[in-house]
Amino acid sequence: MNAPQPVAALVPLDRSALPAPVLDAEPELVELYWAAWELAYQHVVTREGAPRSPYMDEGFDPDTIWIWDTCFMAHFCKYAPDLFPGVESFDNFYRPMYDGSPTSLKIHHPDNPPLFAWSEEEYVRHTGDLDRVRRLLRDKRYLQQHFAFMEGTPAGSRFPHSNIPTTVERVPRGYLWEGVTSGMDNTPRAPIQGEHGTSGGILWFDVAAQQALSARSIATLARLIGDSALAEEYDAHHARLVALVDDFWSAEHGFYFDRFAEEPHNFHRVRTPAVYWPLLAGACDAEQAAALATALADPTCFGGTVPWPSVARDDPEFRPDGMYWRGGVWVPVAYASARALADSGHHDVAHRASLDLIRHMAATWSSYSPPTIWEAYSPTRPAPSTAKDDRTPVRPDFCGWSALAPISMLIEHVLGFRVDALTRTLHYRPHLPGRTGIRNLRLADTRVTLIADDLTLTIDTDGPITLALSDRTIPLTPGHHLVERKGTFTSP
């Protein structure tokens, strides 16, 4: 089988096509940002026999692709869609799974977290490409088919495009699943540890929440193309799944927990950042959202100088060096959590934790050898997490999904920018004093530069946009603009 070939071997990365962050007070974070793009570009590969080539390789196995790795990578590719094939890489799943296309790649865990619809929704908010949405929902029905796949595929099913049987199964009280398929491998949520976590004795709340997220995103995308019937159908799916997810909420503990599959379906009380999937899916009320925000600020849970350990710090299974999902800090889970918190109004918590995480990655880059971006990070010191053996480090050069923090979390939660190409709106929530901002940020076919200091915002745009601040909305014509900065900062 032919090995994938990096595009970078033929064409160097054109930095002028990328957004350029401005953060004068912490140049090391900007340096890490550019390093992440360079490493990620090494993972844009071509391969004979792949339905879509070039595509994003996750950096784990050159012959195999993972759904949730690829979906998460799309969340930084959206900032440079001409150079990084984010959602285009989804064709390497869509076409073998739903068109029967031949492929030279193996799909590991077709029942990985079902994140296609969420990632497609986020992507169109950057590109404004409604033709793609029409193809997905009307011509091919890929997103509806994948939603149905997760709902109706029996555990143990095998497919010619995959090298491993499925484990997810919908049962009346929820979903059976397991650690490796969930993406959280050796998580203590799985009470039976082995090659594939648990053999089905747990109802996993996160797959229910991810299905709810998919339903909500499909409904949103359907409305964008004027398909009200499809939107209503998936609104109903979303409401049904939200009710299911609520059954996993413990009011006593202010937390979501898995349940044991056997009667009386008691809670399996292990606290992990999977708890933020219901929040991202729109399944939480304000009180629940506040409880989850508190958990991220709590140093005994997911807070501290290194936020988002993969199991709460006060859990007996927490390992100071990470041991993969026994405490290791995983950037994609952090990204989803920060997005969930910000979208539910907890912008400041998302900002603080995101800044701490990126600082931790930068400190690891500068003090641990080799200087690179890792698959996961230690929750206690500037180093990579240990692997499942709790001795060797995880994989290096993992850009891959670990590029999400130095790129997307820096832009969205540290610098405070959020793009909506569909309404030509740039949302800006400044958190930091001093000179900050971004140059060459893409909003559909428009490029925007916004530089802030303690008194003013300077904006240059080559197309008409709306600038949405926390206290006002300002329509801007193409050209140069100077806006008075108001309000206080939320971060020192």
Side-chain angles (χ1 to χ4, degrees):
M1 187 176 291
N2 294 329
Q5 301 298 318
V7 170
L10 301 174
V11 182
L13 177 63
D14 179 10
R15 287 194 178 189
S16 68
L18 301 171
V22 176
L23 183 55
D24 287 359
E26 300 195 54
E28 64 276 12
L29 304 192
V30 177
E31 292 170 10
L32 188 67
Y33 170 90
W34 290 115
W37 277 122
E38 293 287 352
L39 286 170
Y41 196 52
Q42 299 297 321
H43 292 276
V44 181
V45 301
T46 61
R47 185 192 186 96
E48 184 179 348
R52 176 50 163 91
S53 182
Y55 64 93
M56 296 301 300
D57 171 68
E58 82 294 322
F60 192 94
D61 181 338
D63 298 327
T64 306
I65 52 176
W66 278 257
I67 288 174
W68 86 317
D69 290 67
T70 308
C71 286
F72 273 120
M73 288 188 290
H75 289 263
F76 66 81
C77 295
K78 67 191 179 187
Y79 286 105
D82 295 337
L83 297 178
F84 290 81
V87 293
E88 294 84 358
S89 297
F90 296 175
D91 278 352
N92 288 330
F93 302 96
Y94 292 155
R95 290 171 59 187
M97 292 179 72
Y98 301 117
D99 293 340
S101 299
T103 178
S104 59
L105 293 163
K106 285 294 184 182
I107 298 172
H108 207 67
H109 302 304
D111 53 335
N112 237 184
L115 305 180
F116 288 127
W118 172 50
S119 301
E120 294 278 10
E121 180 193 354
E122 180 66 14
Y123 221 79
V124 75
R125 293 196 181 281
H126 279 250
T127 65
D129 185 1
L130 294 179
D131 286 340
R132 179 176 177 84
V133 178
R134 294 183 187 96
R135 175 176 172 268
L136 289 170
L137 297 184
R138 289 182 179 171
D139 300 341
K140 292 295 188 177
R141 300 185 69 255
Y142 286 145
L143 301 184
Q144 300 98 304
Q145 289 186 78
H146 196 66
F147 182 87
F149 173 86
M150 294 297 291
E151 290 291 292
T153 302
S157 298
R158 288 185 175 272
F159 301 92
H161 50 67
S162 181
N163 55 0
I164 197 165
T166 61
T167 64
V168 74
E169 185 162 2
R170 182 71 161 92
V171 296
R173 192 67 184 261
Y175 297 81
L176 301 173
W177 216 18
E178 51 102 271
V180 175
T181 314
S182 80
M184 299 182 76
D185 292 53
N186 64 327
T187 175
R189 294 171 65 193
I192 304 170
Q193 291 297 319
E195 183 182 358
H196 291 292
T198 178
S199 58
I202 292 291
L203 300 172
W204 298 68
F205 70 82
D206 44 348
V207 68
Q210 289 156 1
Q211 279 289 83
L213 175 62
S214 294
R216 188 172 72 163
S217 292
I218 292 170
T220 298
L221 292 168
R223 286 191 177 87
L224 294 178
I225 60 171
D227 193 333
S228 58
L230 183 63
E232 290 173 6
E233 177 186 351
Y234 278 84
D235 282 339
H237 285 309
H238 180 257
R240 169 179 55 81
L241 287 159
V242 165
L244 174 64
V245 169
D246 195 54
D247 188 47
F248 294 85
W249 177 259
S250 169
E252 177 186 356
H253 299 90
F255 217 80
Y256 291 97
F257 295 117
D258 300 320
R259 287 184 178 273
F260 289 99
E262 294 186 358
E263 294 284 357
H265 303 302
N266 292 330
F267 287 124
H268 181 41
R269 293 198 297 271
V270 179
R271 294 191 296 172
T272 77
V275 76
Y276 294 99
W277 286 111
L279 185 60
L280 188 63
C284 297
D285 61 25
E287 184 177 349
Q288 291 168 324
L292 299 183
T294 298
L296 185 55
D298 180 356
T300 70
C301 191
F302 305 134
T305 56
V306 186
W308 285 297
S310 49
V311 64
R313 294 180 189 277
D314 60 3
D315 191 286
E317 296 296 335
F318 173 82
R319 299 293 183 266
D321 284 339
M323 196 180 172
Y324 228 48
W325 291 91
R326 297 293 177 108
V329 176
W330 292 80
V331 171
V333 174
Y335 176 78
S337 303
R339 183 77 273 139
L341 287 162
D343 288 351
S344 62
H346 296 277
H347 303 273
D348 295 346
V349 175
H351 162 75
R352 182 74 256 171
S354 297
L355 182 57
D356 286 342
L357 173 59
I358 302 168
R359 284 170 172 167
H360 180 64
M361 294 177 71
T364 303
W365 176 283
S366 63
S367 63
Y368 190 93
S369 184
T372 188
I373 292 175
W374 296 88
E375 183 184 8
Y377 284 80
S378 164
T380 57
R381 62 191 182 99
S385 170
T386 51
K388 295 178 190 178
D389 60 10
D390 207 19
R391 295 188 301 275
T392 57
V394 295
R395 286 169 175 78
D397 301 339
F398 213 82
C399 289
W401 59 22
S402 292
L404 277 168
I407 297 174
S408 302
M409 294 176 78
L410 180 74
I411 293 172
E412 295 167 23
H413 303 300
V414 174
L415 297 177
F417 293 100
R418 189 86 165 107
V419 166
D420 189 344
L422 297 163
T423 60
R424 304 190 65 83
T425 300
L426 178 61
H427 298 267
Y428 179 50
R429 180 178 290 269
H431 296 281
L432 296 164
R435 187 170 173 270
T436 66
I438 198 159
R439 296 187 176 93
N440 199 33
L441 180 62
R442 178 170 171 164
L443 197 157
D445 57 353
T446 295
R447 304 282 178 158
V448 181
T449 291
L450 188 155
I451 309 296
D453 59 28
D454 292 346
L455 299 175
T456 59
L457 309 178
T458 302
I459 306 107
D460 291 279
T461 175
D462 62 10
I465 66 166
T466 297
L467 178 64
L469 306 175
S470 59
D471 61 340
R472 56 201 152 138
T473 300
I474 307 169
L476 299 175
T477 56
H480 179 79
H481 304 270
L482 194 66
V483 175
E484 180 185 357
R485 183 170 181 170
K486 300 178 182 180
T488 58
F489 305 110
T490 61
S491 181

